[in-house]
Amino acid sequence: MIQKLLNIDRRWIFLFIFVGVAAAMLFPLPLPIRPSSDVKNVYNTIESIKGKPNATVLLSFDYGPGSEPELQPTAISIIRQCFRNNIKVVGMALWPDAVGLAQAAFDSVSRAEGKEYGKDWTFLGYKTGSVTLILNMGEDFHGAFNVDYRGNKTSEMPVTQHIAKLGSFDYVVTLAAGKTIDGVWVTYAVDRYRIKLGGATTAVTSPDMFPYLQSGQLNGLVSGLAGAAEYETLVKTQGSATRGMQPQSAAHLIIIISIIIGNTMYFVQRRRDRRQSVSGNEETRS
Amino acid sequence: MQRLTQFACIAALFWTGTALASDAVETGTGSKTPVPDSVRALPPPLPTQIRAADVPSDNGKAVVVTWLPDASTPSLVRYQVGVATNPSGPYYFGGEAPAAGPLVKDDPKIFGWSPANPDHQFLVVSSYMVPPATPEGNPERVELRPDQTYYLRFAVVGDSASAELAAPMSVTPRQNWIKLHKLNNLIFGLFFGVVILSFIEFARRNPNMFIRKIAGLDAVEEALGRATEMGKPVYFVHGLNSMGEVSAIASVNILGRVARRVAQFDTTLKVMNNDPIVLAVSQEVVREACIDVGRPDAYVPDNVMFVADRQFSYAAAVDGMMMRERPATVMLMGYFYAEALLFAETGNVVGAIQIAATDSYTQIPFFITTCDYTLIGEELYAASAYLAREPKLLGSLRGQDVGKAVLIAILTIGTALELAGIHWLTHLVAPL
Amino acid sequence: MIFFKRTLPLVIAFVMGIVAISIYYIPHQAAVDLNDLLSKWDRIIAAFAAFLGVYSLLYLHAGRLKRRQAGWGYSVFVYLGFVVMLTAAIYNNGAGPLVALRKGGAYDWLYTNVFVAADASMFAILSFFIASAAYRTFRARTTEATILLVAAVIVMLGRVPIGALLWESMPELQQWLMNVPNMAAKRGILLGVYLGAVATALRIIFGIERSYLGGDE
């Protein structure tokens, strides 16, 4: 029986996960979400620039559909916070897959908050050559992005007229699923142009960002779905990240329970094997 | 009268420049907090020791102005610099810094670690704003040019009064040929390079160099033999990086060694590629490997395939092929992201022996738990040398070890010195 | 022929390697301009390589379809997906057909409802695989394995609100684990990785490592 449990067909485990996650989604329990200091740093930085004339945040969408559940809620929350504080938002994408996601985020929030395209926000679209693009933006923003995604001239739109270069933005937040934060933004934008950079990453890649948090190159980090839920709490909305905390908690609990059961079975089996080998030795000696 | 007119024009220009370009400053931002009435009426005191100089180690497009603020300067003033190509003007807005702006000692990149005037403030000026010709036009940002002499006017601006340095300062930005602040980086790089190349040369003369066992690489032979006995294919799955990354180069090097053995054993090798350039290189490597061992017929072009360039499309396709063909051996080599566990777990399901090698720090735990053998970090780069056992490649491994020993020594000594409040070693190795 | 297959690539690798390293230390505008030019060349080559990849993919699956190899049905889907998305992307100035029915047209619909959904589903499979891998392999066989196990449990609990419910300091403990011991291990691994990368790069620049050319000397 124990051997059977130790070598259980993995499909049973899949079933337990499925049932647990589905139950948590169908019967959600309210869970307290405490924003961490890293998430608060991003939030507070944006709060600190409200009221500043022409305060503008650059949001870089560097992720694809696979990371959408973790990073899209953060993007929506940040845009919402900016719009509520009358902070302009300029979006761009270093990943081509992110263009549709960025547009969806901007469209939904700008409609809800009553913000005008070209005046309160714009989306620049995707351009190749991440490093070269950042270097160009660092020297001449309008040269790097002559027109936005809809073909409007960036030097003429109220939202980007005053932006001379990357350093003109009051805050840059990059939502990254890959290596764009350390490989591009920190190495080039922060190191060379001394911009203030915040990050949002998937939970798996967030440990890679801790050295930059400690050195101050990243001033804040929103990590994974949990971080997105914390940000939604700060912005006082109940979005998909907050709703996702229940199934995520259920999944983690099921994994921990399965680890405990697996180890219990393992130790019981080991004890039995030891007993059998001891009694076998005794028989041999006698 | 003439002087008063000049002053009024310059103050008006500064005010216009500030209003139009209040966000386009190199350092610091203007403060818009209301100034008390008692301060408002008085011109703020000028700082002393105001100097302009070329920014060192740059492309000749920036100058730096330094000054020692007066102790009685109100906290709400701004220091502004006007730029002109002629001493008589017109002067255009070049930048501004707040009263509590950055200090010289805070920027070792420009001023070094032990500057002469650490408590001076500074402002880097790399461009100036030319007002539009017509009211409807936009201001034009003009970058400084190398070898062009510029004249700078320095002013302290309060909300309703300002003070200005009597005479303009002249400065000529120059292009430089070396970044002095990266000299430590260059010296360490050269040092490590010389160490590695020296050991390569040493290894040529002393070919029997010891290298510790790497279980995963010793198992390659066994894994390939298993595939041959079972009559099932070997899967070589590249990571997600392009050919420009060292991990892709390292995995292609391993592929060459593996392809040789597979051709000798007459086993099917299937190489999965995520990047077209890696595909082209892999095809060439496998083809040459087959030719080298005298088995050109063993090369099947369709077996070195481009699967997909999207992460999860790649994972789905490779997993599907694994489930259908049930390879006996799966080798996961390169830099992986979230799809790592998808590959490894599927390989486990089909009962393949799995050898993974990655420098992706976040995926190492997944490989360790699901694969039979895992090469961690630099073992991926060492694999090529380990499998080939060529002295010159082994020599570079020894050089790496020496480099690591030096780094450990620096870390240990540096930590002790920092705890004692001595910073020279930290400054020596700090990246600027 | 040897010159073009061996010598010339080695010379190019050496020259470009030395140039790229030098550019990093030279601030002169000439170096900056050269860097920009090389970046553009790199992007152009990558763009051509994209065609190479598409050709390779379509050629491979065409062969499978012709030979009716096992699994040839999937090759049909490769062609179907390729043609449908390409049509949607090109037709009607990029808006695709069915624009009147949906903003952005068929391309937008396919992207949102097929591509995004499929990508997210593949990512979601990870949760099942993690659970199964954890059950099978997270055994406290040795002291190190036990420490790993305990750390994994703390991190998993600390990352979700339920951890704070069980013990209010769980999130802080999780953060400490990630920031201190985890960071130390990561930095140790990275030091070795970067040194290895330097050594590999030097071997390639100086022509000591030539496997990437296909075969040895």
Side-chain angles (χ1 to χ4, degrees), chain A residues 160-223:
Chain A
T160 45
Q161 249 175 3
H162 61 285
I163 304 291
K165 51 189 172 184
L166 198 54
S168 307
F169 288 101
D170 296 281
Y171 194 36
V172 178
V173 181
T174 163
L175 304 123
K179 289 175 75 74
T180 46
I181 290 186
D182 45 342
V184 179
W185 286 102
V186 169
T187 310
Y188 294 96
V190 175
D191 189 39
R192 204 178 278 224
Y193 302 112
R194 309 293 171 99
I195 61 160
K196 202 181 273 185
L197 181 71
T201 61
T202 55
V204 142
T205 55
S206 64
D208 284 345
M209 303 303 127
F210 293 156
Y212 304 110
L213 274 174
Q214 289 185 352
S215 67
Q217 287 160 307
L218 261 184
N219 91 322
L221 183 69
V222 182
S223 168

Side-chain angles (χ1 to χ4, degrees), chain A residues 1-10 12-13 265 269 272, chain C residues 135 139:
Chain A
M1 172 68 182
I2 288 176
Q3 205 54 45
K4 256 193 181 168
L5 278 171
L6 276 173
N7 297 320
I8 195 172
D9 190 329
R10 52 176 43 85
W12 283 107
I13 301 168
M265 298 293 116
Q269 183 66 32
R272 279 193 193 169
Chain C
Y135 179 79
R139 300 274 191 262

Side-chain angles (χ1 to χ4, degrees), chain B residues 361, chain C residues 173 175-187:
Chain B
Y361 159 81
Chain C
L173 179 60
Q175 195 66 31
W176 178 86
L177 262 175
M178 296 301 283
N179 281 347
V180 182
N182 172 67
M183 186 73 71
K186 174 190 153 90
R187 283 180 172 146

